[in-house]
Amino acid sequence: MNPSLSLTRCRSGLVPRSHSPQLSGGHHGGRGTAALANEEAEDVDHSYYVSKMYGPKDPKSRELWVNFDLMDKEKVKIHAILSNAHRQAARVNLSFDFPFYGHVLQEVTVTTGGFIYTGDVVHRMLTAMQYIAPLMANFDPSISRNSSVIYFDNGTALVVQWDQVRLQDGYSVGSFAFQATLHSNGRIVFAYKDVPISVSRINSTNHPVKVGLSDAFRIALPLSHLADVRRRTIYEYHRVELLKDQISSSTAVDMRPLPTCLQFSSCGSCIFSLIGFRCSWCHRLQRCSSGFDRHRQDWVDSGCSNQVNAPLLLRSLSFLLAMPNQSVAEVEEEEEEEEEEEKNEEGGAHYSLIAGILLSLLSMATVILVTIYLYHHPTSSASLFFLERRPSRWPSMKFRRGSGNPSYAEVEPPGQEKEGFVMMQQC
């Protein structure tokens, strides 16, 4: 029996933070394309990446577009199946290690829908999370003989181009041409040659429309009523959402990775790191992490989340050592005061009983309020904490098979059997 796989979304607590080979290669401010065309590009911080948007009049936009006609023809590959199919996905092996959110990828999954899936488990709802999406939409290369999905790997970068592709439910709007370039240093470039309509006007009824990045981790929760089966749940811990109104013909987005905890290989460099994350060192795993990455399962199973952070311990110790020493006389005076307080407490025992009852009522009210909050905010960090530690028979959320995400089928599978998939939705 295949283990089921559920899907939800959560956010990690982050601290805000105010070159590549031959191939050149966020969330931006609230300006439209027209305004962006006349302004100088600005860096936008997304915690894991910093992005820069280039408008139609910026020469950098044209520089970031990779001209396949100038590349080595033997390395340029037109994927025959993806170029003549709808909602299909194919794995592409990389000739280099590609760091994505600090994790090293050696293969990706290219789809017909204008995005690259980066997860290691290929399921039917690839549009939900773990993606690199220059323009995710309901593209159907099979409805036009001129459409194609092309990719090129020069050993230090992979360029994927969706060329003259059309929307299945919007053929008349015209053809799109855009690229995503993945560099060996983790840099990601989106370049747009032809975007005939505003991205915000693309119909999302039958397929999500997204521009940006997403990553997630998997957690396997045991099912007590099935001995050897664990429910696999995918949690999205971060997403970069670029403004759709800023995407047009002759624009580009350059995203550069920021340091993560995963890059530190020793305890000292980890716990004293000055980056935008609260890094902790797990001695059992010999790994540095913020607790929110693709190794979350190992982090929880090894008890790393329960370890005391060394910098916090050192600060607490320093505080204690810095406290002024009390004299013997002061201590004796405090003891006398404590004796008087004990006598007063004995005389008011019945007040303690009343206080205990009120405290119990307050605790019950708190539990009820927390339960209501978790029920209506199932993707919060608090919900994630209790979900990972709940008994398997504790029904904290409703699960429903299927979702609004379109179903993708993998072509040329490497012999692996698909895993079951359940999408977790808010109640």
Side-chain angles (χ1 to χ4, degrees):
M1 178 184 298
N2 289 331
S4 59
L5 186 67
S6 54
L7 180 68
T8 190
R9 191 162 181 255
C10 68
R11 295 287 183 185
S12 58
L14 304 176
V15 181
R17 196 197 285 105
S18 261
H19 195 67
S20 185
Q22 304 170 351
L23 302 176
S24 297
H27 185 89
H28 205 278
R31 303 183 303 277
T33 305
L36 184 65
N38 299 318
E39 293 186 11
E40 193 172 324
E42 298 177 357
D43 289 336
V44 181
D45 192 335
H46 308 280
S47 296
Y48 287 88
Y49 289 86
V50 59
S51 69
K52 182 174 288 187
M53 177 79 71
Y54 298 97
K57 296 183 179 180
D58 196 317
K60 191 69 174 179
S61 298
R62 290 182 291 275
E63 293 177 12
L64 294 175
W65 177 265
V66 179
N67 188 346
F68 275 56
D69 294 334
L70 303 179
M71 299 299 142
D72 186 351
K73 301 299 182 183
E74 295 182 357
K75 294 183 179 180
V76 176
K77 299 180 180 179
I78 300 177
H79 200 287
I81 298 180
L82 296 183
S83 299
N84 295 279
H86 179 231
R87 292 185 181 174
Q88 296 287 323
R91 299 195 189 192
V92 174
N93 293 321
L94 302 175
S95 62
F96 56 92
D97 291 339
F98 171 62
F100 183 64
Y101 279 89
H103 303 90
V104 176
L105 305 183
Q106 295 180 327
E107 71 172 14
V108 294
T109 302
V110 178
T111 73
T112 57
F115 68 98
I116 300 171
Y117 174 69
T118 61
D120 53 353
V121 177
V122 177
H123 48 76
R124 292 184 176 275
M125 300 178 193
L126 304 186
T127 60
M129 53 188 64
Q130 291 187 302
Y131 55 75
I132 298 172
L135 181 49
M136 180 192 296
N138 194 20
F139 293 112
D140 185 358
S142 67
I143 61 178
S144 174
R145 301 177 68 177
N146 297 323
S147 300
S148 59
V149 178
I150 314 169
Y151 61 93
F152 170 81
D153 187 337
N154 72 343
T156 56
L158 171 73
V159 185
V160 180
Q161 178 173 321
W162 291 264
D163 190 46
Q164 299 187 55
V165 293
R166 292 177 179 263
L167 296 167
Q168 189 189 58
D169 43 9
Y171 183 90
S172 60
V173 303
S175 62
F176 294 71
F178 54 93
Q179 298 175 341
T181 303
L182 316 183
H183 294 266
S184 58
N185 62 357
R187 181 185 177 197
I188 300 173
V189 175
F190 295 161
Y192 305 89
K193 182 179 180 181
D194 297 317
V195 181
I197 64 170
S198 172
V199 175
S200 60
R201 292 175 52 199
I202 298 178
N203 188 354
S204 60
T205 303
N206 300 317
H207 194 290
V209 178
K210 302 178 183 179
V211 180
L213 310 174
S214 168
D215 199 28
F217 58 79
R218 287 187 296 158
I219 286 288
L221 302 175
L223 299 177
S224 59
H225 57 287
L226 296 175
D228 299 325
V229 177
R230 307 182 80 188
R231 180 185 297 279
R232 293 189 179 182
T233 306
I234 299 181
Y235 294 92
E236 181 181 52
Y237 65 89
H238 190 264
R239 176 185 295 185
V240 174
E241 294 179 308
L242 302 175
L243 291 183
K244 300 173 185 176
D245 288 338
Q246 294 182 347
I247 304 300
S248 66
S249 299
S250 302
T251 59
V253 185
D254 191 350
M255 290 176 284
R256 297 175 182 268
L258 294 172
T260 67
C261 300
L262 295 173
Q263 73 184 48
F264 301 107
S265 57
S266 66
C267 179
S269 61
C270 173
I271 61 179
F272 294 109
S273 60
L274 298 177
I275 62 175
F277 301 94
R278 297 182 180 91
C279 300
S280 299
W281 179 261
C282 183
H283 292 282
R284 182 172 298 177
L285 294 177
Q286 291 294 296
R287 180 183 299 158
C288 183
S289 174
S290 64
F292 288 88
D293 54 51
R294 295 192 180 190
H295 304 300
R296 173 73 178 181
Q297 182 77 63
D298 293 339
W299 192 261
V300 173
D301 291 346
S302 300
C304 301
S305 56
N306 299 324
Q307 287 187 177
V308 178
N309 200 338
L312 179 61
L313 183 61
L314 291 175
R315 287 194 293 269
S316 301
L317 183 60
S318 300
F319 174 77
L320 293 175
L321 293 176
M323 292 179 62
N325 295 325
Q326 292 179 310
S327 64
V328 176
E330 290 175 340
V331 173
E332 291 177 350
E333 289 178 0
E334 290 180 358
E335 290 179 352
E336 292 177 358
E337 292 177 357
E338 289 177 358
E339 290 178 357
E340 292 180 0
E341 290 178 357
E342 288 178 357
K343 293 179 181 179
N344 294 332
E345 289 176 356
E346 290 176 357
H350 61 284
Y351 292 110
S352 300
L353 179 61
I354 296 175
I357 296 174
L358 293 176
L359 184 60
S360 299
L361 293 175
L362 180 61
S363 299
M364 292 176 62
T366 302
V367 170
I368 293 173
L369 292 176
V370 170
T371 303
I372 294 174
Y373 174 82
L374 296 179
Y375 181 84
H376 291 285
H377 300 82
T379 59
S380 65
S381 298
S383 298
L384 175 62
F385 176 84
F386 287 109
L387 183 63
E388 290 177 349
R389 291 158 177 80
R390 79 185 194 276
S392 58
R393 293 184 182 274
W394 179 5
S396 61
M397 295 184 181
K398 297 178 181 178
F399 291 81
R400 184 173 61 192
R401 292 191 176 274
S403 72
N405 293 277
S407 176
Y408 272 76
E410 184 186 7
V411 298
E412 301 175 359
Q416 294 187 5
E417 186 178 358
K418 295 285 196 313
E419 297 202 35
F421 185 86
V422 178
M423 184 171 184
M424 182 188 295
Q425 297 180 328
Q426 295 188 14
C427 302

